[in-house]
Structure formats: structure tokens, C-alpha cells
Amino acid sequence: MPIRMAEQKPCVAPLSEEGSSLLGALGKNDIRDLAESSYRDIKEWIDLQEKRGKAMSEKDKLSQSPYTTEISKKVTDFIVPRPPNRPKPRLQKLERAFSLDEKQWRRRFKASQESLTDPNDTGSSSGSLPDTTTVLYSTSHLPDDHSHDSLASEPSTSSLGSSYPAAVESTSSRLSPNPPTSDVASDFPRNAMTSLAKPQLGEVKPVKPLPQMELNIASRALRTANRIDPDYMDYKHCSQHKVLRQSSSLSDTRLHNSMVCNQCSNESMKSTCSLLTPLRSKDVRNSYLEGSLLASGALLGADELDRYFPDRRLGVFIVTWNMQGRKELPESLDDLMLPSDDDFVQDMYIIGVQEGCPDRREWEIRLQETLGPHYVLLHSSGHGVLYISIFIRRDLIWFCSEVEFATVTTRMVSQIKTKGALAASFTFFGTSFLFINSHFTSGDGKVSERILDYKKIIEGLQLPRNIPDTNPYRSNPMDVTSRFDEVFWFGDFNFRLNKDRPGVNTILQTKLERDMSRLLQYDQLLKSMQSGSIFKGFEEAEIQFLPTYKFDIGCDAYDTTSKQRTPSYTDRVVYKSRHKGDIRVMKYASCSLMKTSDHRPVFGLFDVRIRPGRDNIPLAAGQFDRELYLLGIKRRSSRELQKRQAVKNQKNSTVCTVS
């Protein structure tokens, strides 16, 4: 408890030899007179209190608080009782006067700094005096031995502030320019002068520097998505006290001021600021080898690929549909493009159409409307009634090369473009893709004609033209499918089942569920692929859906006309890869909800491995069909508003009648 000697005169107990040394240092005559005078006054006050205490009743003694009882047990002979009715305004003036004395002592100390010495070397390196705590702390709640031990272990300034009386400190500051040392303070009795007044706590300072604050505040998943590229991982070898250079740009380096370059900040730098990677000056100064896989910062290199695709796998969604030339389009394409059993959308959508609707632009707008603003039309082309559309995620368009396309007509009269092939190719990072949409010759027994169509297509497609082949040593000039890493061939192949209609109906009437082996044993395409006469090197996923041809329009019944065509698997998707295992089939199914044609659409979901590339290929430069994009988004917004208005009108039109 703090106590002011200017207001009251405490009693000082007999001192030990060490205490005598303290009195000698401060002036024995002055201190003895002060002690004797204070002792006489306070003794009289104590005698008066003892007389009043005898007159107190037993009831008043029991009503005392436990806190006061405990304090009274611990009071020693050196404790000075606090006089009653202490004036508070007087205390504030004394505190202010004491602070002025302290400031005056500090000014004298700085003026005579050259003559001062610090025997315990506790001063700061800059020559300034550490802040001295001038408020006393009460030790009446602690045992004497504990107080004395803790006092002796503290530095000189803290010992002075926690045990040395305020009046003696003020007197010593006027008598000597040097502050009392720890030796003097430790020898003076800690409990000599203590008050029960409210303690005033001084500023709390840490004993040692606080540990560095952890900057890693992002989740692990976010750090993985936005992690720093491997060529910047050497930042962790920097000193923990090295600070990044302050940047004046608008990138994330502005927030790196005073950020320590350790492993923690290395992991969280990207996730807490932005996706932009910090660039080092020495990397910009160094020469850049164009097209090198090892070049740091290559747009299509391994660093950029790992940043967007940590597992280097790309999701590809392929749809093939013979629309039978119908002008009417389904009300919604969500069931076709966005199946309800798929949790996530894919990175790339390729839609191939045979016998497409007369208005190809309207078809593409409907596709853009279905996929929404996250996708853009990278390429679209047509060959007669064969259409192909390639949609890609908007943020991946920068890593695509220019798209090249080629066509082949398999009809004898080339002006009739109902049968043939339409192909599109491009490079994504370092992996080349080829997508072929074809329509082969129709007819139950025309297997050889369909095989001839296949051979004519692989020889007639002249791709690639300007884009370099990623592996020219494995290319065959007579086979377009050998000049690309990943090839997807889809369309209406028109291969039928070698079974009459009654026999097929009998099999369909049984509960096939997903086992279609009883039907597939008559499939012409599977037999031709097994013999190696068509689609050499291609694979097809397991078929677990019903035949997709031929249905009556608007229902699930197979052909009920007089022709009684045999149900068959005419619509297929096959794939081929230069490296075994690059393509994994995730799903292969048909969409039975699209009933505007006599064919059911077939779609496949594939997981494709991609590799880093070189920057010496002609890039698409982020170009896409912007007009189509805006039309599709506008249609999407209007459709949503119409739905809300319809729901609102339906609620308003509800009439309640009471009968």
C-alpha cells in the first residue's frame, strides 16, 4: 500500500547494522530526528486507539470483515497504522508534488549524466535511465520472508519502487543526484511503513521480448490453393530479422512491410494478401530463356500449373447429341449440362451436335445461359449440321493456345454436309487436345461403310497446323489421332445391334439394371474395335445405360412406327491417350430427360492429366465470344426474374373461399 510521509509520521523500528548503513548514506541526524518525532506522535495515537478498542462490544468485533481480521494477524511491529479521515484532495496534491519532484530529479540526473555510474549495469544501451516506479506496493498480504526474497531478486529500480518509502525516496532525491541502489533497498525492512490504502499499480513491462506473432492465419485448404511457388521457397533461409523491401505497387507486397521472412509468413503470404506471387528483383534482371520448362515465371510452366492444378488433373465434360434437326429446343439444359448427382462442375465442356437445330447461334446462347458467368465460349464451329462448342472456365482461358479446326465430308457429294467429321484442337499448358465430332453412315448392315468413314476422317483431318506437336517422334502423318496427347472422339457412329427387334425387346423387358452385357454382345462397334478394324488404340468406358436410339418424340417408348427400328447404341464417346493412365473415366451415361429428339444425349466425365508447357506456342490471348457471353448472362438474369414474378403472381392470385 502506498503511504505518504508528508501527511503522517510513521514509526520506524530499530534498524539492523545494514539499516544503519542506509541511514548513514542519507544523513543520520536528519533521519533520527524524523524518526523520534514520528514515533512519539504515532505512539500517542496508538494509545488512544487502544482505549477506544477496549470499549468496543463483542458484537462489533464479530462484525469485522475476514479481510480485516487476516490483515491484523499479519501486522508486525514495523507496521504503521493509517490515521483515519485521510483527506483525498490533499492526496492528489501530494501526488502531483511528488511527480514534480521526480521530474526535477530526472532533469538533474540527465544534466549530471557523465558523473553517474550504474554499479549493476542495468542501464539501457542508449544511455537513458529506465523508468523508475515511484508508487509503493503494499506487502501486508505477504509473509515477511517471501517479501524479502522477492525484493532481493528484483532490479534496483523495481526494488526501490516496491519497498522504499516515498518520503525517504523524495528526501534522497533532494540530497543526492544518484538514485538508491538495490543494496540499500534490500537492506531496508520491507514492512517498515505500509498502509491499508488502495494500491496503485505501476506499468507492467515484459521481462524479455515477446515472441513473434504468428502470421499463419489461413486455413490449410486455402494455403494449398494459394501457396507460394516452389522457386520462392528459398525465402525461408533468410534471417528472421530481415524485412521485405517496401513496394509502391498495388500488389500484395504493399502489405509485406515489416513482415519477417520465415516459414510461417512464407505459407500465409499468398493466402492473406492475393494470388499474385511476389517477384524478386534478381529474377527480373536475369535473362529469360524462351520456351524453357525450367524458366522461372513461365506462363505455361510447372510453377503456374501447380498453382492452379496442384494434382495436375483437369475435369473434362463431353456431350454428344443427335438433335434430329429439330427447331424446338428443350426448356432447360440443366439436366444435360449440370447433372443433379454431380457435386461440382468441370473445368472444360465440349458439346458436339449432329443434325443440329437450324439456328446454331441460338443453341450456343442457350449453352452459355446454362453454364452461367463462370464459363466463356473458347471456340465454336460448324460443318453443315455438325456443331462443336468448347466452353472453358473463365480464369483458365489464359493458358490455352489458339484453337484450330478442320472438317471432312464422307458423302460422295461433298456439298451435302450431313455425314462427316468436325475437329477442333488446341494446347492447354503443355498437353495437346483433339476433339472430333462425327456422323457416320447410317443403316443396319453398313458396317464396312462406317469403317471407311473412320479411315477417311483420320487421314483427311489436317491438324495441327501452327501449333507445334508436343511429341513429333510418336506422330503418324496418316493418322491425325497420333499427333495429340489426348484425343476424344464422339458422335453418332450409327453402329447397331445385330439382333432383330423382337429379340431386343425380350432382353429389354428383363430387369437389366446396369448390366447391359446381354445387349452389348450384339454390338457392332465393340466387335469392330476388338478386331482392330476401327478406333485402333481407343477405349470406351463401360456402358451401363439403355440404348439411345430410336425413341418416339416426347416419350420413352422405342420406335413404334412401321419401320420398327432396332434399339441400338449409336451415340458413343471413345478416348485415346499417348500416355497410359492419363485419362480416367469418372462417369459415362445418357440423359433420358431430353426427349425432343429420337436420340438420347450421351455424356462422359473424364479426369485428364496435364503437363507443363513452353511459352513458344501461339496463345489465344484470352479471347472469347464476348457478345455471346453477354447475351447468355442477360438471358439468365431475365429467366430468374420471370420465375420470381411467376411465383409472386401465383401467391397473389390465390383466393380463399368459405363455403
Side-chain angles (χ1 to χ4, degrees):
M1 292 287 185
I3 183 170
R4 309 288 181 183
M5 293 295 293
E7 289 187 57
Q8 62 183 11
K9 301 178 181 181
C11 176
V12 180
L15 301 179
S16 60
E17 297 179 358
E18 297 176 352
S20 301
S21 60
L22 172 63
L23 296 177
L26 299 177
K28 293 183 178 181
N29 295 332
D30 297 337
I31 296 300
R32 185 180 298 105
D33 297 340
L34 177 64
E36 291 177 356
S37 175
S38 300
Y39 179 77
R40 286 193 302 269
D41 296 340
I42 293 178
K43 185 176 180 181
E44 294 177 358
W45 184 83
I46 291 176
D47 295 340
L48 180 62
Q49 295 299 325
E50 288 179 355
K51 293 179 182 179
R52 293 181 180 179
K54 293 179 181 180
M56 292 176 62
S57 64
E58 191 69 18
K59 182 177 179 180
D60 295 336
K61 293 182 180 180
L62 296 176
S63 62
Q64 293 181 353
S65 62
Y67 177 78
T68 308
T69 304
E70 181 181 359
I71 295 298
S72 60
K73 292 181 180 180
K74 296 183 179 181
V75 173
T76 60
D77 297 336
F78 303 102
I79 295 181
V80 180
R82 174 177 174 269
N85 300 328
R86 189 174 186 178
K88 294 185 177 180
R90 180 67 175 173
L91 177 63
Q92 295 177 358
K93 293 181 180 180
L94 289 176
E95 287 179 352
R96 182 183 178 191
F98 177 74
S99 61
L100 294 176
D101 293 340
E102 180 188 10
K103 292 180 181 179
Q104 184 180 5
W105 178 83
R106 286 180 179 276
R107 286 196 296 268
R108 290 201 304 269
F109 172 78
K110 291 181 179 180
S112 59
Q113 185 176 3
E114 296 179 356
S115 61
L116 296 179
T117 58
D118 191 0
N120 295 330
D121 294 333
T122 58
S124 60
S125 58
S126 60
S128 61
L129 180 69
D131 293 339
T132 304
T133 305
T134 59
V135 182
L136 300 181
Y137 296 84
S138 174
T139 58
S140 60
H141 303 285
L142 300 176
D144 293 346
D145 54 349
H146 181 274
S147 303
H148 188 77
D149 295 341
S150 60
L151 175 67
S153 60
E154 294 178 355
S156 59
T157 56
S158 62
S159 301
L160 176 63
S162 61
S163 62
Y164 199 75
V168 177
E169 178 182 321
S170 178
T171 304
S172 62
S173 63
R174 291 189 295 267
L175 296 177
S176 174
N178 295 328
T181 60
S182 59
D183 296 337
V184 176
S186 60
D187 294 337
F188 198 86
R190 185 179 179 89
N191 296 337
M193 299 177 183
T194 309
S195 174
L196 296 179
K198 184 177 179 181
Q200 298 182 7
L201 301 179
E203 182 182 1
V204 179
K205 294 184 178 180
V207 181
K208 58 182 179 179
L210 297 177
Q212 179 182 348
M213 183 180 67
E214 183 179 2
L215 300 175
N216 191 0
I217 59 176
S219 63
R220 186 62 185 173
L222 189 59
R223 292 199 305 271
T224 303
N226 302 336
R227 66 181 184 278
I228 292 180
D229 296 336
D231 58 333
Y232 293 99
M233 294 303 291
D234 56 350
Y235 280 134
K236 66 183 180 180
H237 300 296
C238 299
S239 173
Q240 292 186 354
H241 299 285
K242 184 177 180 180
V243 180
L244 289 175
R245 179 180 60 87
Q246 185 176 2
S247 174
S248 60
S249 65
L250 297 179
S251 64
D252 55 354
T253 53
R254 173 180 294 182
L255 302 178
H256 296 163
N257 186 23
S258 72
M259 181 182 291
V260 180
C261 296
N262 58 3
Q263 180 65 21
C264 177
S265 60
N266 200 24
E267 291 182 0
S268 62
M269 186 185 302
K270 293 286 293 304
S271 60
T272 58
C273 301
S274 72
L275 285 174
L276 297 178
T277 303
L279 301 178
R280 298 177 298 190
S281 300
K282 65 176 184 179
D283 294 334
V284 179
R285 289 175 177 268
N286 292 337
S287 61
Y288 176 72
L289 180 60
E290 181 181 3
S292 174
L293 287 172
L294 302 178
S296 176
L299 178 62
L300 305 179
D303 300 337
E304 201 74 8
L305 174 60
D306 293 337
R307 192 156 73 105
Y308 282 87
F309 298 94
D311 55 353
R312 298 192 177 185
R313 309 294 299 192
L314 178 74
V316 179
F317 192 93
I318 296 178
V319 178
T320 176
W321 189 18
N322 188 323
M323 302 180 67
Q324 202 183 7
R326 295 281 177 173
K327 184 179 180 180
E328 301 81 8
L329 296 175
E331 295 182 1
S332 176
L333 298 176
D334 292 347
D335 296 326
L336 175 61
M337 305 296 296
L338 307 170
S340 58
D341 53 349
D342 292 343
D343 296 332
F344 301 96
V345 295
Q346 307 308 314
D347 302 310
M348 194 180 299
Y349 283 80
I350 295 89
I351 303 97
V353 171
Q354 309 84 40
E355 299 181 17
C357 63
D359 192 352
R360 193 185 94 189
R361 188 65 172 178
E362 178 64 21
W363 166 248
E364 294 171 351
I365 293 175
R366 291 292 302 277
L367 292 175
Q368 179 69 73
E369 177 186 354
T370 302
L371 292 176
H374 297 287
Y375 292 87
V376 294
L377 181 63
L378 177 65
H379 170 80
S380 67
S381 56
H383 178 62
V385 291
L386 288 174
Y387 307 153
I388 189 170
S389 305
I390 301 176
F391 287 85
I392 190 171
R393 285 191 59 170
R394 188 176 59 189
D395 47 354
L396 299 178
I397 195 173
W398 305 101
F399 311 109
C400 298
S401 69
E402 296 179 351
V403 182
E404 300 176 336
F405 74 98
T407 61
V408 171
T409 300
T410 57
R411 288 241 183 212
M412 295 299 295
V413 181
S414 60
Q415 285 76 13
I416 303 177
K417 301 176 181 179
T418 57
K419 299 295 188 291
L422 171 63
S425 64
F426 63 93
T427 299
F428 184 74
F429 279 96
T431 302
S432 58
F433 288 87
L434 174 64
F435 301 98
I436 305 176
N437 177 26
S438 63
H439 194 182
F440 292 167
T441 303
S442 61
D444 291 347
K446 296 183 178 181
V447 177
S448 58
E449 287 82 352
R450 288 187 276 271
I451 295 176
L452 290 176
D453 292 344
Y454 163 77
K455 292 181 179 180
K456 188 175 182 179
I457 291 171
I458 62 175
E459 295 176 3
L461 290 175
Q462 301 299 322
L463 292 174
R465 289 189 292 268
N466 299 325
I467 300 176
D469 190 352
T470 57
N471 194 348
Y473 301 102
R474 302 181 61 178
S475 300
N476 184 357
M478 301 302 295
D479 186 359
V480 67
T481 62
S482 65
R483 299 193 286 270
F484 294 88
D485 296 324
E486 319 297 341
V487 181
F488 294 90
W489 199 326
F490 45 91
D492 184 2
F493 297 158
N494 263 322
F495 284 92
R496 312 301 175 88
L497 294 178
N498 288 330
K499 188 73 173 177
D500 56 3
R501 176 65 183 272
V504 174
N505 288 340
T506 302
I507 298 175
L508 291 175
Q509 290 174 0
T510 62
K511 294 182 179 180
L512 297 176
E513 295 181 355
R514 293 189 176 184
D515 185 9
M516 304 297 170
S517 58
R518 296 181 60 187
L519 289 174
L520 294 175
Q521 62 181 337
Y522 305 107
D523 185 65
Q524 296 175 351
L525 179 58
L526 292 180
K527 292 182 179 180
S528 300
M529 291 179 65
Q530 291 173 2
S531 63
S533 57
I534 191 174
F535 292 122
K536 186 177 181 179
F538 281 83
E539 301 178 61
E540 184 182 17
E542 182 182 359
I543 297 177
Q544 298 180 347
F545 50 89
L546 295 174
T548 58
Y549 174 84
K550 172 180 182 2
F551 288 90
D552 292 339
I553 303 299
C555 63
D556 294 328
Y558 288 101
D559 188 15
T560 59
T561 64
S562 59
K563 294 184 178 180
Q564 290 289 306
R565 292 183 177 88
T566 302
S568 302
Y569 293 97
T570 58
D571 308 280
R572 314 286 274 269
V573 179
V574 294
Y575 58 92
K576 176 183 178 181
S577 178
R578 275 179 174 174
H579 306 277
K580 186 177 180 180
D582 277 5
I583 300 178
R584 297 186 304 197
V585 181
M586 309 304 294
K587 190 175 184 180
Y588 189 41
S590 65
C591 184
S592 60
L593 299 177
M594 301 288 108
K595 302 178 182 181
T596 58
S597 171
D598 58 350
H599 289 255
R600 294 292 184 263
V602 174
F603 63 90
L605 173 57
F606 302 91
D607 190 44
V608 184
R609 178 179 176 82
I610 51 180
R611 292 175 171 80
R614 294 175 169 84
D615 284 354
N616 58 351
I617 63 175
L619 295 175
Q623 296 181 359
F624 63 95
D625 195 332
R626 178 175 176 80
E627 181 182 358
L628 179 75
Y629 178 82
L630 296 177
L631 287 174
I633 301 307
K634 184 177 180 180
R635 288 266 193 96
R636 188 182 180 95
S637 302
S638 301
R639 183 183 62 181
E640 185 65 25
L641 292 177
Q642 291 175 1
K643 288 182 180 180
R644 295 181 180 179
Q645 187 65 29
V647 174
K648 183 178 180 180
N649 294 339
Q650 184 178 4
K651 292 181 179 180
N652 295 336
S653 62
T654 303
V655 179
C656 298
T657 59
V658 179
S659 57

